Amino acid sequence: MPDDNARDPERDEALSRSVRDGAAYSVMTGAGESYLSAYAIHLRFTEPQIATLASIPPLIGALAQLFSTWLHRRWRIGRGRIILAGALGQAMSWLPIMLVPLLWPNDQVAALVLCVIAYQVFGNIISPHWPSLMRHLVPERERGRYFSRRTRVTTLVGFAALIAAGGVLEVFRTHTDAMYGFLLLFALAAVARMISGYYLSRLPDRSPRGDDIKYGALPLIPVWQAGIRSTPYARFLFYYAGMCFATAVAAPFFAVHMLRDLQFTYLEFMAITAASVLVQFLTLNGWGRVSDAFGNRLILAITGWMVPFVPLLWVFSDNFLYLLAIQALSGLAWGGFALSAGSFFYDLSGDADMAAPITTANVTNALAAFAGAQLGAAAVLWMPDWAHSDHAWSFEYPLFGVFLLSFAARLAVAVIFVPVLKEVRQVRRASPRRVIFRFTRFSVFSGVGFDIASVWRPREQRRPVKAGEESGGA
């Protein structure tokens, strides 16, 4: 019998490259993408324009995954070539984003939306293929631990980039002009994405060849068909898409609320944003081990009931420390939700080639997020009159009504879909109380230093870790 604990040095090196790719990508998102909304506010976008910026580019980007999947399945273009082209194109798209005020001063809204569309399109052509590569690099029994470890490292790097970017913007805002700070950050984002592309280009493709991949097949799964509608995949897809819709109702407007209504500085805006990222980093170790031990369905249920209350809690106070605590709770909930959702896709996909289910999910989620953002934008136009009316609730800030609408939508999604989610792999049964107890047993710092060191040590100094050898085992 083959030794389950035997290590493959080539695979281990590839997994380390994947972490380095993720770290560089996190610099791009932490220092660049996280501040696109602040950039738009600096350019004096209105709330509906910000909603458009937050919803249309991801939608078109998700549709680009159809083209990407078609290139691979119809023309058999290698995944590595598509991934490298996407990474380099996304890096180059930062240049026109930086130059929008200079090149298109009279059409900044349309120009920035188009530039961010290009950014999303290049990024999304990678999305159907990266999971297929990783599925055959990461053994099933190690997925929760590996992806939680990878996410912890990338979250730490993204957190550092987010903090540094906020400091840079505040320095430029105070001494010269914040625009110069945005230019510097976006240039750094472009360089980071190029580094990410280098490591992506060195990932081997170990997915099966031949009949396992149906070349020429349609890249979308028809989830509306009765035979598929009742499957665990479809139930999860509808749940995730519903949560995307409900979250997008308010998501574009938190930055507006902080920077415009509350008049936060860039440092305060950075701190509020970073609080969520930091808590995700500190708790991913526990979520990953719980996922390996008890499956993903239970985590999705627990966090699915936590996520709806985040926008509700924003309406009770505008105190800075209070909002920091709310964002910490948000990071706890979304960290577990995102990790378990990603692992659930691997469990639910029966195809060796994951392009079809991933593309289906991403397009569906983008459509849902687009619809949610448009609903939020429409509500913003109506809420100011409602907020100051003598015949209705009076909100201190008009965006509070949108936050409450998002809360109601998220809660409805949880009520409808959480009870019908099904675990699809053999795991130990546990109650939510046992999961919470097991989760709190793990030190939030457990394994963090080892994870980072093991990624960046020279290959000759790296000792493979056997299954069950890590600290704090589940």
Side-chain angles (χ1 to χ4, degrees):
M1 294 178 61
D3 184 5
D4 290 339
N5 291 327
R7 307 302 298 187
D8 181 343
E10 182 183 359
R11 188 197 67 189
D12 291 341
E13 180 62 25
L15 294 180
S16 294
R17 290 172 187 155
S18 177
V19 177
R20 297 175 190 178
D21 148 55
Y25 180 85
S26 295
V27 172
M28 180 191 72
T29 57
E33 187 174 327
S34 295
Y35 288 93
L36 281 175
S37 294
Y39 185 52
I41 294 170
H42 181 78
L43 298 179
R44 303 186 184 279
F45 279 34
T46 65
E47 290 96 332
Q49 290 168 344
I50 290 175
T52 298
L53 181 67
S55 58
I56 289 184
L59 174 62
I60 297 178
L63 294 175
Q65 295 182 33
L66 299 174
F67 174 71
S68 176
T69 307
W70 177 78
L71 283 178
H72 176 64
R73 290 193 166 196
R74 177 65 179 85
W75 296 102
R76 305 196 182 192
I77 297 177
R79 289 192 181 95
R81 294 170 60 186
I82 296 175
I83 289 174
L84 180 59
L88 294 180
Q90 192 171 41
M92 297 305 297
S93 66
W94 282 106
L95 180 60
I97 291 175
M98 295 164 55
L99 299 179
V100 161
L102 178 64
L103 298 180
W104 303 283
N106 299 322
D107 299 293
Q108 295 185 68
V109 175
L112 184 58
V113 169
L114 289 173
C115 291
V116 177
I117 285 174
Y119 169 84
Q120 290 287 353
V121 165
F122 282 115
N124 273 271
I125 66 173
I126 297 174
S127 297
H129 307 296
W130 186 84
S132 294
L133 293 183
M134 298 304 297
R135 179 177 185 176
H136 297 284
L137 284 174
V138 186
E140 180 179 338
R141 59 184 170 79
E142 297 180 14
R143 283 176 189 161
R145 279 173 290 177
Y146 171 76
F147 284 114
S148 66
R149 184 187 309 127
R150 182 183 189 274
T151 304
R152 288 202 310 277
V153 173
T154 58
T155 302
L156 176 62
V157 174
F159 175 75
L162 186 70
I163 292 178
V168 167
L169 285 178
E170 188 62 24
V171 168
F172 277 98
R173 183 190 69 85
T174 304
H175 294 91
T176 55
D177 186 343
M179 180 57 66
Y180 297 116
F182 284 114
L183 294 177
L184 177 60
L185 295 181
F186 295 163
L188 174 63
V191 173
R193 190 45 161 153
M194 289 183 181
I195 296 173
S196 165
Y198 166 76
Y199 286 114
L200 280 171
S201 68
R202 302 187 66 193
L203 293 181
D205 186 357
R206 292 190 170 186
S207 54
R209 307 295 181 187
D211 294 338
D212 289 4
I213 299 177
K214 300 174 183 178
Y215 287 106
L218 292 176
L220 280 178
I221 296 175
V223 294
W224 57 86
Q225 292 182 359
I228 298 178
R229 251 196 332 262
S230 59
T231 62
Y233 172 83
R235 291 171 183 167
F236 170 71
L237 180 60
F238 295 145
Y239 171 54
Y240 197 90
M243 200 60 79
C244 285
F245 167 83
T247 301
V249 170
F253 306 114
F254 287 105
V256 178
H257 179 59
M258 287 185 280
L259 293 174
R260 187 199 65 185
D261 295 345
L262 303 183
Q263 294 291 302
F264 280 180
T265 66
Y266 285 120
L267 284 178
E268 290 172 321
F269 173 76
M270 173 273 296
I272 294 289
T273 306
S276 175
V277 178
L278 177 61
V279 173
Q280 289 186 48
F281 163 71
L282 295 177
T283 57
L284 278 169
N285 185 45
W287 285 131
R289 293 179 182 274
V290 169
S291 169
D292 285 339
F294 303 119
N296 297 295
R297 187 264 171 199
L298 201 54
I299 300 177
L300 286 171
I302 293 171
T303 57
W305 289 113
M306 296 170 62
V307 163
F309 292 92
V310 173
L312 173 66
L313 294 173
W314 271 75
V315 309
F316 293 130
S317 174
D318 59 5
N319 179 268
F320 174 73
L321 294 179
Y322 171 81
L323 294 180
L324 275 177
I326 298 308
Q327 281 301 93
L329 175 65
S330 175
L332 174 66
W334 281 114
F337 187 90
L339 179 69
S340 56
S343 298
F344 214 40
F345 268 116
Y346 285 93
D347 297 338
L348 290 168
S349 175
D351 293 337
D353 181 15
M354 293 184 65
I358 290 294
T359 301
T360 301
N362 289 339
V363 171
T364 304
N365 295 338
L367 288 169
F370 173 78
Q374 298 312 303
L375 175 61
V380 164
L381 298 177
W382 173 60
M383 289 294 182
D385 291 336
W386 184 32
H388 298 96
S389 171
D390 295 333
H391 305 288
W393 289 355
S394 179
F395 298 132
E396 184 178 0
Y397 301 105
L399 289 175
F400 279 0
V402 182
F403 297 166
L404 290 175
L405 180 62
S406 179
F407 157 70
R410 297 184 197 196
L411 188 61
V413 171
V415 168
I416 294 171
F417 290 106
V418 166
V420 301
L421 292 177
K422 302 296 182 183
E423 185 63 60
V424 295
R425 60 186 173 95
Q426 294 295 323
V427 294
R428 284 180 279 172
R429 300 187 64 178
S431 64
R433 178 183 298 180
R434 184 181 179 190
V435 170
I436 294 171
F437 173 75
R438 178 65 64 92
F439 176 82
T440 55
R441 284 180 55 200
F442 300 125
S443 166
V444 294
F445 296 102
S446 175
V448 171
F450 173 79
D451 293 340
I452 297 172
S454 64
V455 169
W456 296 104
R457 273 185 298 174
R459 186 189 311 178
E460 60 272 13
Q461 298 179 10
R462 192 178 302 137
R463 183 177 64 88
V465 181
K466 295 184 179 181
E469 189 175 285
E470 299 175 55
S471 60

